[in-house]
Amino acid sequence: MGSPFSTPQVEEKRSVVPLVIGAAIILLIIGAAVLLSRNQPQSSGPATEDPYSSNIRIMDIKLSRAENFAGGNVTYVEGQIANMGSKTITGATVEAVFRNTLGEVVDRQSQQLTLINQMPNYVDSTTLDKHPLTPNMQHEFRLTFEHISADWNQGLPELRFTRIITK
């Protein structure tokens, strides 16, 4: 006979169903993370240039850097854009190609072109749908990049207009 203070051994039967459900949820989260990481703004190959881009001139391109509120660096590509064509531009997607010191592509990013508006105490930017670029019009533009490959040679990126919306 055992001690009055000992507890009887009870064999627990555990169901494997919660374990299987938990494993399935973890696999779904991992799968979603993999899919989302593939949808970065960077593409693997060059995009096709928009036919209307032959009517656009980019001048006086310069680079600048600033620190954002999170402590990271932001790189700005700024310059002048001129619409030399006969249509009004109401939207433009620009692909920027960054190279390393060997001339190899190390980063490729696409984003909407924004125009710079000088306000009395600050600089604002706006999209072309709010401030269209009419024929023979010239305006300052800005592209903002938060994440560029560390292998980038710090030179000017190649800019290509991959989509231009006109009216």
Side-chain angles (χ1 to χ4, degrees):
M1 189 164 203
S3 162
F5 298 108
S6 65
T7 57
Q9 296 283 347
V10 178
E11 208 175 296
E12 289 185 33
K13 289 188 177 181
R14 292 191 177 185
S15 175
V16 295
V17 173
L19 237 100
V20 171
I21 292 173
I25 290 172
I26 290 172
L27 287 174
L28 284 173
I29 291 171
I30 292 171
V34 168
L35 285 176
L36 290 175
S37 69
R38 288 184 176 181
N39 293 332
Q40 294 297 321
Q42 306 160 359
S43 63
S44 60
T48 307
E49 195 164 10
D50 189 285
Y52 193 79
S53 65
S54 63
N55 296 301
I56 295 176
R57 300 288 177 267
I58 295 181
M59 302 150 291
D60 303 326
I61 298 175
K62 57 188 167 282
L63 289 173
S64 62
R65 288 191 115 170
E67 192 172 302
N68 64 15
F69 296 113
N73 284 322
V74 178
T75 302
Y76 298 106
V77 176
E78 298 175 329
Q80 293 284 325
I81 181 171
N83 179 4
M84 307 306 286
S86 61
K87 298 178 182 178
T88 298
I89 301 172
T90 59
T93 302
V94 179
E95 179 187 67
V97 177
F98 299 89
R99 297 186 180 273
N100 65 12
T101 55
L102 300 174
E104 302 166 328
V105 174
V106 293
D107 210 344
R108 184 184 307 269
Q109 298 185 34
S110 293
Q111 62 179 260
Q112 294 297 310
L113 181 81
T114 57
L115 300 179
I116 297 175
N117 291 325
Q118 297 288 344
M119 303 307 248
N121 294 321
Y122 67 97
V123 176
D124 194 16
S125 61
T126 186
T127 56
L128 285 164
D129 61 336
K130 292 184 176 67
H131 188 83
L133 203 58
T134 57
N136 300 313
M137 181 181 181
Q138 182 173 321
H139 206 286
E140 290 179 286
F141 75 90
R142 173 182 287 164
L143 299 169
T144 306
F145 301 96
E146 291 188 25
H147 305 287
I148 303 172
S149 171
D151 293 337
W152 171 43
N153 66 5
Q154 305 298 307
L156 290 173
E158 297 167 22
L159 302 178
R160 178 181 304 124
F161 289 90
T162 58
R163 182 167 186 246
I164 299 172
I165 302 169
T166 59
K167 67 176 183 175

